[in-house]
Amino acid sequence: MLPDWDALPHLQRTDGSHRGEVYRGDMNAVVIDDVTAMRAALVEARLASTHGDVPVGAVVVRNGQVIASAGNQREQLGDPTAHAEMQVLRLAAQHVGTWRLDDCTLYVTLEPCVMCAGAIINARVGTVVFGAPDLKAGAIGSLYNVAVDPRLNHEAVVRQGVLAEECGLLLQKFFSERRP
């Protein structure tokens, strides 16, 4: 069962939709914390699974407000780059009006891969918060440490483990249903 967006009214969009576009809600809404933002990312992850995509969701927060949210859409769009992080960074840049997201925080339910970590660095995202580690493809601590590599032209602050169990269980359930 999907979480009820009405339980998170400050994350509602004015047009009633809840994913895949720039957030245009009340910018004076309650400032959210890491757990609330990760719960919003989990909503996007659950929505992604409804169309056969791996349940990974992401939101971008700026000045304490969600400005964009998205889930994986690789299967839905037939696009290998349509990871939740890539989708939400595009939407956030559109919202802000620039590719520089240095005053933004990206929340994602699964540790970003190398492609997404590269996009995070190129977008100059200020902070990355992820839920579950990705021991097979994680590029922000598990296999690689792209976000804090001093050889690159940007380093992001990284916080990990926010709602890690809930994020991990969602992924485990998804794959156990598909791989008997």
Side-chain angles (χ1 to χ4, degrees):
M1 183 172 155
L2 295 175
D4 183 4
W5 271 91
D6 293 330
L8 301 169
H10 53 286
L11 301 180
Q12 285 281 346
R13 294 204 178 103
T14 56
D15 66 358
S17 68
H18 304 294
R19 69 179 327 272
E21 61 189 53
V22 176
Y23 174 76
R24 300 190 192 287
D26 179 6
M27 297 312 282
N28 296 314
V30 177
V31 173
I32 63 174
D33 60 16
D34 284 355
V35 171
T36 304
M38 191 62 72
R39 288 203 188 288
L42 278 162
V43 168
E44 295 296 334
R46 288 183 179 98
L47 287 171
S49 71
T50 66
H51 48 75
D53 275 291
V54 174
V56 177
V59 299
V60 173
V61 173
R62 182 179 192 219
N63 298 323
Q65 307 300 316
V66 174
I67 62 168
S69 63
N72 267 352
Q73 292 181 287
R74 289 181 356 157
E75 298 297 330
Q76 185 178 42
L77 299 178
D79 179 351
T81 68
H83 289 197
E85 301 94 312
M86 302 294 284
Q87 302 296 83
V88 81
L89 290 176
R90 285 185 191 106
L91 293 169
Q94 179 186 7
H95 177 82
V96 174
T98 180
W99 59 269
R100 292 181 186 270
L101 301 175
D102 56 331
D103 61 346
C104 294
T105 300
L106 168 67
Y107 291 86
V108 61
T109 58
L110 180 66
E111 179 182 358
C113 69
V114 173
M115 174 183 68
C116 294
I120 288 164
I121 295 305
N122 282 306
R124 310 294 195 272
V125 173
T127 303
V128 178
V129 180
F130 68 87
D134 186 346
L135 303 178
K136 294 182 178 180
I140 300 189
S142 291
L143 293 180
Y144 307 100
N145 227 342
V146 175
V148 294
D149 188 330
R151 298 170 295 176
L152 299 175
N153 62 351
H154 175 73
E155 292 183 46
V157 173
V158 175
R159 293 193 299 272
Q160 59 185 328
V162 176
L163 299 179
E165 184 175 352
E166 188 173 344
C167 294
L169 288 173
L170 182 62
L171 288 158
Q172 285 176 355
K173 181 179 182 230
F174 176 84
F175 286 113
S176 71
E177 292 171 353
R178 281 154 183 75
R179 299 177 185 159

